[in-house]
Amino acid sequence: MMFPEYRPRRLRQTEKFRALVRETTVSKDNLIYPLFAVPGKKVKEPIGSMPGVFQMSVDNIVEEAKEVFDLGLPAILLFGIPEKKDSKGSHAWIKSGIVQRAVEAVKKAVPDLLVVTDVCLCEYTSHGHCGIVVKEKKGVFQIDNDATLELLQKAALSHARAGADMVAPSDMMDGRVGAIREILDDNGFEHVPIMSYAVKYASSFYGPFRDAAECAPQFGDRRSYQMDIANRREALREATLDMEEGADILMVKPGMPYLDIISLLRQEFTLPIAAYQVSGEYSMIKAAAQNGWLTEDAVVHESLIAFRRAGADIIITYFAKDFAKASV
Ligand code: PBG
């Protein structure tokens, strides 16, 4: 009688043994929690399509940041919804801008919590695009890539000046990582790292976020600057460019439908890799859980393990607080 070499079934019946040989773990140390800052006082406005996520004024962002820190989470990612939008998104870089004020207040109240800022124009432009729009005619328009770079530089610098620990450009303009690195270095912020949204697809999974950040494009879509969902090799080109321009962390976005891309980057790069479990992924799980169709905690844990198994070091997720609460 021949016995197969590998017969771990009996051992697999105990959790102790499973834990001993487990290849992947996820901890709250790996998670970043996104927050949406809005003008005003005492604002805590629920986002309809994202149960459990709120737009908050700076005072409430500070309270939230304290809670996040007390739960043992290392970092937040800040988005801002400005008082006023215009065609250039000028409130993205003013000193009294919403994100700048939120960063300052959080760093003052919770200095040891890492504050990461999203650098983009789409929340700040009246047209909702991530760059300067030229020639808009019957839905036909172009984005002025190079003119946009200067504005992104200003935004990133203003975040660093406010005290941001790391900036995360999400606009997908070509050359923005190099441009932001240069302006930060020239102004004494050599120590502020860049987490680049290196591989960002033109995805329909961002739908609920556009409610949260009030940044749905008023015409057209983002396919001229975000990546074609069908492309895999292009992910390597985008990530290579960002690395060469000085990115410290490479991000893949969305998350779960793009685990193959995370795994590909893991094989090809030695930089830390972040995965963004985006709004649509969050809303799907929440909706199913609210209907009693899925067990939320178990599914969330499984999804986070999947990111880590694919090779992500960091996961940006709206479930970060829930996960941290479940794991204390
Ligand atoms: C753009 C930005 C988006 C997200 C993060 N940064 C939206 C977009 O590109 O349309 C999406 C995040 C999510 O869906 O949770 N500033």
Side-chain angles (χ1 to χ4, degrees):
M1 173 114 174
M2 289 280 291
F3 292 104
E5 294 280 307
Y6 182 65
R7 297 206 310 164
R9 275 188 297 279
R10 211 170 323 143
L11 283 168
R12 234 187 258 154
Q13 286 166 14
T14 72
E15 171 55 20
K16 281 267 186 295
F17 182 78
R18 287 194 293 270
L20 192 64
V21 298
R22 188 161 288 141
E23 297 172 29
T24 317
T25 56
V26 58
S27 129
K28 53 194 174 183
D29 294 341
N30 309 121
L31 307 182
I32 299 180
Y33 186 56
L35 288 173
F36 299 96
V38 291
K41 282 206 169 73
K42 302 252 171 292
V43 182
K44 190 168 177 184
E45 185 69 27
I47 294 151
S49 51
M50 299 179 73
V53 179
F54 302 84
Q55 296 179 332
M56 281 179 272
S57 49
V58 173
D59 48 347
N60 278 332
I61 291 272
V62 168
E63 291 312 306
E64 189 75 5
K66 287 182 189 161
E67 193 189 331
V68 166
F69 184 73
D70 290 342
L71 280 168
L73 290 163
I76 57 171
L77 172 61
L78 273 179
F79 294 93
I81 296 103
E83 234 143 51
K84 215 175 107 258
K85 302 188 188 224
D86 58 33
S87 64
K88 286 191 161 185
S90 57
H91 280 231
W93 62 80
I94 55 174
K95 192 169 179 298
S96 58
I98 182 70
V99 163
Q100 291 79 355
R101 283 193 285 120
V103 172
E104 243 170 77
V106 170
K107 287 310 291 184
K108 199 167 157 209
V110 208
D112 291 335
L113 181 69
L114 293 173
V115 177
V116 188
T117 55
D118 185 87
V119 177
C120 194
L121 298 183
C122 67
E123 297 102 300
Y124 303 90
T125 51
S126 39
H127 43 72
H129 280 286
C130 304
I132 294 180
V133 170
V134 279
K135 280 202 259 173
E136 198 259 309
K137 211 171 155 194
K138 286 193 196 139
V140 181
F141 68 98
Q142 277 174 18
I143 302 288
D144 187 337
N145 187 94
D146 293 0
T148 303
L149 294 184
E150 271 172 54
L151 308 185
L152 295 167
Q153 284 181 313
K154 288 194 203 187
L157 180 58
S158 72
H159 294 177
R161 283 190 171 137
D165 296 294
M166 178 155 76
V167 293
S170 70
D171 50 280
M172 287 303 274
M173 298 300 126
D174 294 329
R176 87 258 202 235
V177 173
I180 290 172
R181 188 67 272 158
E182 189 184 322
I183 197 102
L184 291 180
D185 290 355
D186 287 351
N187 288 276
F189 294 105
E190 298 90 346
H191 56 284
V192 174
I194 300 176
M195 174 166 70
S196 155
Y197 287 66
V199 182
K200 179 171 173 183
Y201 288 93
S203 168
S204 298
F205 284 96
Y206 309 147
F209 174 92
R210 293 179 185 169
D211 295 340
E214 299 175 12
C215 68
Q218 299 304 301
F219 50 84
D221 55 44
R222 301 205 208 290
R223 281 182 294 180
S224 70
Y225 44 101
Q226 296 182 350
M227 285 172 56
D228 187 330
I229 57 170
N231 291 358
R232 177 177 158 92
R233 293 190 304 270
E234 191 185 359
L236 291 178
R237 294 201 295 278
E238 289 282 358
T240 302
L241 278 174
D242 283 12
M243 183 186 71
E244 287 171 357
E245 288 177 29
D248 299 277
I249 298 174
L250 299 171
M251 192 203 298
V252 175
K253 178 175 168 218
M256 272 175 65
Y258 296 83
L259 292 180
D260 59 326
I261 307 298
I262 297 171
S263 167
L264 178 67
L265 259 60
R266 175 73 299 150
Q267 283 163 37
E268 300 292 330
F269 294 88
T270 56
L271 285 176
I273 291 174
Y276 198 141
Q277 184 172 44
V278 300
S279 55
E281 302 175 61
Y282 174 84
S283 302
M284 287 194 303
I285 294 176
K286 273 282 173 196
Q290 285 186 345
N291 273 298
W293 298 338
L294 284 175
T295 308
E296 186 170 326
D297 283 353
V299 168
V300 169
H301 181 259
E302 188 173 334
S303 70
L304 299 181
I305 282 286
F307 285 119
R308 300 274 298 159
R309 202 183 57 236
D313 301 290
I314 301 163
I315 306 153
I316 301 156
T317 175
Y318 304 98
F319 288 118
K321 261 176 68 183
D322 293 342
F323 178 84
K325 279 183 196 160
S327 62
V328 281

